[in-house]
Amino acid sequence: MDYMKNYSLEGKVAWVTGASYGIGFAIAKAMAGAGATIVFNDIRQDLVDKGMAAYTEEGIQAHGYVCDVTDEEAVNATVAMIEKEVGVVDILVNNAGIIKRIPMIEMAAKDFRQVIDVDLNAPFIVSKAVIPAMMKKGGGKIINICSMMSEFGRETVSAYAAAKGGLKMLTRNIASEYGEYNIQCNGIGPGYIATPQTAPLREKQADGSRHPFDQFIVSKTPAGRWGEASDLGGPAVFLASAASDFVNGQILYVDGGIQAYIGKQPS
C-alpha cells in the first residue's frame, strides 16, 4: 500500500476564503499540488482578478468568486454557484480575516464588531452553508485559520484575540456536533508569518535597525525567524486529507516553537 495516497486530495473541491494572496493563496497552492480543485473568493472583483492572475502564473486552474463572507445571503448564493459550476465543497478553509491594531480604550465598538464579524461570524456563516452537503456526501473537512491570539493576549489586538479565541471554540464545537457525519473540523494557528498584514511589524527603522517587535519575535522563536506562508501548506494538506480522518477539534500551531519556549536568559 502506498501510504502517501492518504495525503492525496485528488477529486476534492477545496474552497479557501480570501485566498487571492498571502496565507490563503499559499494554502490553496499546496492543496492544488496535492490534487485538489481550488475555489477561492474575495470581497471585490479586482482582488479576485488579482488572485486569478496569480493562480494562472502558478499553472493552477482556480475558480474565483466575489463574495462577502459576512453576508449570509451572498454566501449561500456562492455555495449554490460553486456546487453548480465546480462541485460540492469537500474542503473548506476559513482563511478570510482582518486585524485592527488599536488600544482597547481607544477602539470604537463598530471597529470591534467589524473584526468579530469577519474573523468569527464569517467562519460560522460559511461553515453552516457547506456542512449540509458534506453531511449528505458522507464527510468533509473544515479548517479554520486560528492564531497565536487564540491562546494569548497582546497589546492593541483585543478584538482580534477575542475573535480568534472564539474561532478556536467554534472549531471544537463543529467537531463535536458533526463528527458523527465524518466531518472533521480543525484549526491551524499560524505563528508570526511574513505577510503584507505583518509587514509594518518588520519595517526597518530610520537608522537601519530592525523593528523592535521584529527583534522580539525572532528572539522568542526557537526557529529564529518569522514563518513563511508556505510553511502552512503541509499542515493544511494533512488536515484536508484522509491522513487526518481521526483528528478532530484540534488546533495545530505552526509557530516555529514559540509556544514551547520561555526565551533566552538575558546575557
Side-chain angles (χ1 to χ4, degrees):
M1 177 182 176
D2 183 359
Y3 190 77
M4 294 306 293
K5 288 182 178 178
N6 285 330
Y7 295 89
S8 173
L9 303 181
E10 290 288 344
K12 303 295 186 181
V13 175
W15 179 13
V16 186
T17 67
S20 297
Y21 60 91
I23 286 173
F25 180 81
I27 287 174
K29 180 180 173 182
M31 289 185 174
T37 298
I38 300 302
V39 173
F40 75 99
N41 74 285
D42 220 312
I43 197 168
R44 300 193 314 267
Q45 186 65 54
D46 64 306
L47 293 174
V48 172
D49 293 343
K50 177 183 177 182
M52 287 296 293
Y55 285 108
T56 299
E57 186 176 343
E58 293 288 342
I60 298 169
Q61 187 176 356
H63 303 263
Y65 295 86
V66 176
C67 178
D68 177 353
V69 288
T70 68
D71 182 336
E72 188 168 14
E73 288 187 9
V75 168
N76 290 337
T78 301
V79 170
M81 283 192 287
I82 293 169
E83 291 181 355
K84 180 181 178 181
E85 298 173 4
V86 188
V88 170
V89 174
D90 300 290
I91 302 158
L92 168 66
V93 182
N94 283 308
N95 165 75
I98 61 171
I99 188 169
K100 289 179 179 284
R101 296 184 179 90
I102 305 170
M104 181 176 167
I105 62 172
E106 298 174 16
M107 189 175 210
K110 66 178 178 60
D111 291 323
F112 187 93
R113 291 190 187 102
Q114 183 186 13
V115 175
I116 298 294
D117 204 24
V118 176
D119 293 357
L120 179 57
N121 291 342
F124 164 78
I125 290 168
V126 183
S127 298
K128 177 185 171 186
V130 302
I131 285 173
M134 289 180 174
M135 293 169 65
K136 186 175 180 180
K137 193 169 183 177
K141 303 279 187 175
I142 298 173
I143 302 170
N144 292 324
I145 303 303
C146 296
S147 168
M148 297 282 287
M149 300 303 106
S150 294
E151 300 293 340
F152 302 134
R154 188 170 62 78
E155 298 85 349
T156 76
V157 292
S158 58
Y160 186 78
K164 293 299 186 177
L167 186 58
K168 175 182 72 173
M169 294 312 300
L170 178 63
T171 300
R172 291 177 175 173
N173 203 80
I174 291 172
S176 301
E177 196 163 354
Y178 296 102
E180 66 179 292
Y181 297 97
N182 191 32
I183 295 171
Q184 290 85 50
C185 181
N186 294 287
I188 292 177
Y192 288 92
I193 307 295
T195 66
Q197 197 176 54
T198 59
L201 304 176
R202 291 178 283 108
E203 289 178 348
K204 293 286 187 182
Q205 302 301 284
D207 62 0
S209 64
R210 297 171 75 169
H211 190 291
F213 191 78
D214 184 9
Q215 296 180 40
F216 170 71
I217 290 304
V218 171
S219 71
K220 291 293 185 182
T221 305
R225 65 175 177 88
W226 287 68
E228 299 294 335
S230 58
D231 289 321
L232 302 169
V237 169
F238 165 66
L239 291 177
S241 72
S244 63
D245 279 354
F246 204 57
V247 178
N248 212 357
Q250 304 301 308
I251 313 299
L252 175 56
Y253 288 98
V254 185
D255 63 1
I258 195 169
Q259 290 195 72
Y261 186 47
I262 196 170
K264 291 182 179 179
Q265 180 177 332
S267 55

